[in-house]
Amino acid sequence: MKKILSIVSRILKAVGTLFTFIRRLTLNIIFLVIIGVIVFSFLQSREVVIEDNALLRLSITGKIVEQKSESDPLAEAVNELVGLAAPVRETFLQDILDAIDHAEDDPRITGILLDLAYMDGAGMDKLAVIGRQLEQFRRSGKPVIAAEDYYNQNQYYLASYADKIFINPMGGVYLNGFGLYRLYFKEALEKLQISYHVFRVGSFKSALEPLTRNSMSAEDRYQSRSWLNALWDNYIHDVAVQRHIDAADIQNYINKVPTNLKEAEGDLARLAKNYNLVDEILPQHEIKKYLATLSETDAEQGFKQVAVHRYLKNVKRSYQYGGTDRDIVALIVAQGTIIPGHNKPGAIGAASLTALLRQAAQDSAVKAVVLRIDSGGGSAFASEVIRQEILELKKTGKPVVVSMGTVAASGAYWIAADADRIVASANSLTGSIGIFMAIPTFENTLGTLGIRRDGVGTTNLSGSLDLSAPLSAEVKDAIQLTLEHGYRTFLSVVAAGRDMQADDVQAIAQGRVFAGGKALEEGLVDQLGTLADALRSAAELAGLEDYRTKSLSAPVSLGNRLLRSLDSKFLSAAVEQSLFLPKIKSLLPNVSELQSLLLFNDPNGIYAHCMITSY
């Protein structure tokens, strides 16, 4: 028996040794392949060869953002191979602008082909600044071409800046105007017997209305209609100017859909052409023939083109000055929800942002700072921490200018108010000066299950925030008083920062949201303009004539920088060479992407946040 056990033991040890060897060999192979790809990539010439008479294929994928979210390139490659969903795709706004600007004077580029098929959301401010850059490009005499099967509203805005718009015979232009529609949960919460205790200051502060109402309030309806109309007017004006049509025609195109379609015999492509929204209806092979004429090639050979991500390798990027011999205007981007602590790009961590502000304050070469904000707000506590750091920066004598993106409202306006100058787009949304708190309790829900709560405590507040019990009158009063104090603080911050009377601030507060033009009238911003205008304004305030701009951002790890320098196809191919990934891929089911939930973690539970995410 002992002999048998000894043999089995030796066999198990041998198997274990074999598995250990295979595991180590596999990991070493993966490591060596990745290192080999990295070395090969860096040994290759970084210069991209571009043929003469090539079209720049301006591909815009996913959301257009001010700052790309940080991600793990290796993890992305693994996810793609095993069938897991890819993260949200993004295109960096400044990359688009830099590519267009460089192509304007590049003799090798004969025109731009807009590639909008996979473009998702974008704020009107971002679309407008890209449109203006395309308009500038066209002044060089080079054409911009849009050739998609169909266009949604955002895609069509950019396409309207093209010299020629093509559409597939089975396509259409889908315009529907701007709207703000929410789901309201009051009745559902009542049926579930969940008691939601909502505290807010500001009659227009509508962020929590979905929890307290079954429909939109009159106040929210009034303010939402105001800013929606302002942005829609800007949209149809810009499109009408580019297409040389009346703005009223665009309204009629949308509002008279049944009549229009009847006249076009149900043909959406013909309807778009009837309204001069497109120039020609052509199938893809005919469009390719036309593009071949622009690049002076035979139709059978196809047209010469260069993808924008390759083209950018030859382009000197904006705001990347690395020298020390010039005065610097520093650019700091603050995008996403404002939260306490540190955070990766895509959210505004108070600790992360204040570290960058201190860096700008301590750098003797930095003479002025532009804070680019694209945020609906968030934690009131974190907003105040950032504002305090801005005040410290200003004590150095360096001017601070805020440039507003798509949204710079509520907590984002809290941190903007003390800037020396605020520059907003006509399409920016700002204001929303108000705060709120919401606490759910489940005593009634638990009661229906026969679950009761009881106990003792040493003070009136013992167990007062236990979600299994109702809120006491004392707690409700305390929360409301705290909120009202926070609101008064918000008003005083705006009044002091904007040099306004408290009563004047109160008149435009109450949580009201304004589009850029109205915000200028109300004194919430100083001028309308772009990020470039804000940078020039900062230089002007600092008395600078000869200066450079430099983007300040949190450092990225060396490993991540190396991986990001690789072509994604190279990286995916390298990972795929492992011995076990194909097996894992065959075993795993397709997993849909899970949307991450915002983590609200203000230490006081008080939020200055505007819930507008799209329109």
Side-chain angles (χ1 to χ4, degrees):
M1 184 68 178
K2 289 183 178 179
K3 189 173 182 180
I4 293 174
L5 291 176
S6 177
I7 293 172
V8 171
S9 176
R10 286 199 298 271
I11 292 173
L12 292 175
K13 285 182 180 179
V15 171
T17 301
L18 177 62
F19 275 115
T20 300
F21 170 76
I22 293 173
R23 176 175 57 83
R24 290 177 175 173
L25 178 63
T26 300
L27 292 175
N28 286 334
I29 289 174
I30 294 173
F31 177 76
L32 290 173
V33 169
I34 291 175
I35 292 298
V37 172
I38 291 173
V39 171
F40 175 75
S41 177
F42 276 96
L43 289 177
Q44 280 188 314
S45 171
R46 308 303 291 171
E47 187 75 17
V48 174
V49 177
I50 301 173
E51 297 180 275
D52 289 337
N53 299 317
L55 291 172
L56 171 62
R57 190 180 195 99
L58 190 63
S59 300
I60 301 178
T61 304
K63 297 179 180 178
I64 301 174
V65 296
E66 304 273 359
Q67 182 184 57
K68 295 191 76 170
S69 302
E70 186 173 295
S71 58
D72 184 345
L74 186 57
E76 289 176 5
V78 172
N79 284 349
E80 182 178 346
L81 287 169
V82 301
L84 295 175
V88 176
R89 296 171 298 178
E90 298 172 331
T91 299
F92 182 37
L93 173 63
Q94 196 58 51
D95 280 351
I96 301 172
L97 302 179
D98 285 347
I100 299 171
D101 181 60
H102 192 268
E104 181 182 343
D105 297 319
D106 189 337
R108 300 167 298 179
I109 299 299
T110 191
I112 288 177
L113 173 63
L114 296 177
D115 180 5
L116 309 173
Y118 297 103
M119 172 182 155
D120 291 334
M124 264 297 296
D125 67 305
K126 297 178 179 63
L127 295 175
V129 75
I130 296 171
R132 284 193 289 272
Q133 195 73 55
L134 289 171
E135 194 173 19
Q136 176 63 36
F137 175 88
R138 289 169 59 188
R139 294 194 185 108
S140 68
K142 300 178 182 181
V144 175
I145 307 299
E148 299 294 348
D149 292 333
Y150 57 86
Y151 301 89
N152 66 29
Q153 195 158 271
N154 283 340
Q155 293 166 346
Y156 184 74
Y157 180 89
L158 292 184
S160 72
Y161 284 84
D163 294 272
K164 273 191 174 293
I165 303 179
F166 295 99
I167 196 170
N168 190 285
M170 291 297 291
V173 176
Y174 303 107
L175 304 182
N176 53 275
F178 293 151
L180 180 65
Y181 299 92
R182 300 187 178 103
L183 296 177
Y184 291 82
F185 301 94
K186 180 185 178 183
E187 187 175 343
L189 292 172
E190 289 172 350
K191 289 181 177 180
L192 295 171
Q193 298 193 52
I194 298 173
S195 302
Y196 236 110
H197 307 275
V198 171
F199 306 87
R200 68 175 186 175
V201 183
S203 55
F204 288 88
K205 196 68 181 174
S206 60
L208 295 178
E209 281 189 1
L211 302 176
T212 62
R213 297 180 56 87
N214 289 321
S215 61
M216 181 180 282
S217 68
E219 293 85 356
D220 190 24
R221 192 177 301 276
Y222 168 81
Q223 70 155 355
S224 297
R225 181 178 285 116
S226 177
W227 64 259
L228 282 167
N229 284 340
L231 267 57
W232 181 241
D233 287 345
N234 292 341
Y235 182 102
I236 61 177
H237 170 269
D238 292 350
V239 170
V241 168
Q242 295 303 317
R243 295 299 300 168
H244 306 291
I245 59 179
D246 291 332
D249 288 341
I250 300 173
Q251 291 285 71
N252 290 334
Y253 176 82
I254 300 170
N255 292 331
K256 298 180 179 180
V257 167
T259 302
N260 293 335
L261 277 175
K262 187 174 182 180
E263 292 176 357
E265 298 180 335
D267 188 333
L268 289 169
R270 194 204 306 177
L271 173 60
K273 193 170 189 305
N274 289 346
Y275 271 81
N276 198 33
L277 296 180
V278 300
D279 295 296
E280 293 191 48
I281 303 172
L282 291 176
Q284 291 184 1
H285 67 276
E286 292 293 336
I287 294 172
K288 289 177 181 177
K289 288 181 181 178
Y290 171 78
L291 295 175
T293 64
L294 296 181
S295 60
E296 299 182 4
T297 57
D298 186 270
E300 298 299 323
Q301 298 174 341
F303 60 94
K304 299 175 187 175
Q305 60 178 307
V306 57
V308 67
H309 74 276
R310 287 175 51 79
Y311 186 72
L312 282 166
K313 293 180 179 179
N314 288 348
V315 174
K316 184 177 180 181
R317 307 300 182 85
S318 296
Y319 318 135
Q320 298 299 316
Y321 175 67
T324 57
D325 59 333
R326 300 284 180 86
D327 292 331
I328 293 172
V329 175
L331 170 63
I332 299 174
V333 175
Q335 176 181 276
T337 302
I338 302 170
I339 61 175
H342 292 275
N343 210 73
K344 293 180 179 179
I348 304 171
S352 303
L353 184 55
T354 54
L356 294 176
L357 293 169
R358 280 194 295 273
Q359 179 184 337
Q362 295 165 3
D363 189 339
S364 59
V366 172
K367 305 301 181 184
V369 174
V370 171
L371 182 61
R372 176 69 169 179
I373 302 177
D374 196 352
S375 168
S379 163
F381 174 83
S383 300
E384 175 59 14
V385 168
I386 296 168
R387 186 187 76 91
Q388 291 168 7
E389 195 63 43
I390 290 174
L391 293 176
E392 289 300 307
L393 172 57
K394 289 176 63 176
K395 288 179 182 178
T396 65
K398 301 177 182 182
V400 177
V401 173
V402 162
S403 171
M404 291 182 168
T406 301
V407 183
S410 211
Y413 194 80
W414 190 312
I415 67 178
D418 278 291
D420 294 285
R421 189 171 293 172
I422 300 177
V423 181
S425 159
N427 296 300
S428 298
L429 297 179
T430 190
S432 192
I433 301 169
I435 57 177
F436 67 83
M437 179 188 290
I439 302 173
T441 58
F442 301 91
E443 67 280 3
N444 295 323
T445 308
L446 295 173
T448 61
L449 301 174
I451 301 172
R452 308 298 176 190
R453 174 185 180 272
D454 197 7
V456 295
T458 58
T459 71
N460 293 344
L461 297 182
S462 295
S464 59
L465 291 179
D466 187 332
L467 301 186
S468 65
L471 293 183
S472 67
E474 289 176 310
V475 170
K476 290 181 180 179
D477 289 344
I479 290 174
Q480 189 62 39
L481 289 169
T482 302
L483 227 63
E484 289 173 1
H485 169 72
Y487 181 62
R488 290 194 298 270
T489 301
F490 200 166
L491 294 179
S492 65
V493 164
V494 175
R498 299 299 300 161
D499 194 21
M500 298 171 67
Q501 296 297 316
D503 290 344
D504 294 333
V505 177
Q506 172 69 5
I508 57 173
Q510 300 291 326
R512 292 179 63 185
V513 177
F514 301 96
K518 186 64 175 175
L520 179 63
E521 292 178 20
E522 299 291 354
L524 291 175
V525 305
D526 296 296
Q527 70 181 78
L528 298 181
T530 63
L531 172 58
D533 295 322
L535 290 164
R536 285 190 290 269
S537 184
E540 174 191 324
L541 290 175
L544 303 179
E545 294 184 0
D546 186 15
Y547 66 93
R548 292 291 182 269
T549 56
K550 179 180 181 180
S551 178
L552 302 184
S553 59
V556 180
S557 67
L558 176 61
N560 223 347
R561 288 202 303 272
L562 288 173
L563 290 173
R564 288 226 169 271
S565 69
L566 303 177
D567 186 283
S568 60
K569 292 181 180 178
F570 272 127
L571 191 57
S572 295
V575 176
E576 196 167 18
Q577 299 308 310
S578 69
L579 299 178
F580 61 88
L581 271 179
K583 298 298 183 184
I584 295 177
K585 183 178 179 181
S586 67
L587 296 175
L588 283 177
N590 291 327
V591 180
S592 62
E593 182 179 0
L594 298 177
Q595 297 293 333
S596 61
L597 299 177
L598 289 176
L599 176 62
F600 288 115
N601 59 347
D602 182 283
N604 298 318
I606 299 175
Y607 299 95
H609 192 72
C610 174
M611 293 299 191
I612 297 168
T613 57
S614 63
Y615 43 83

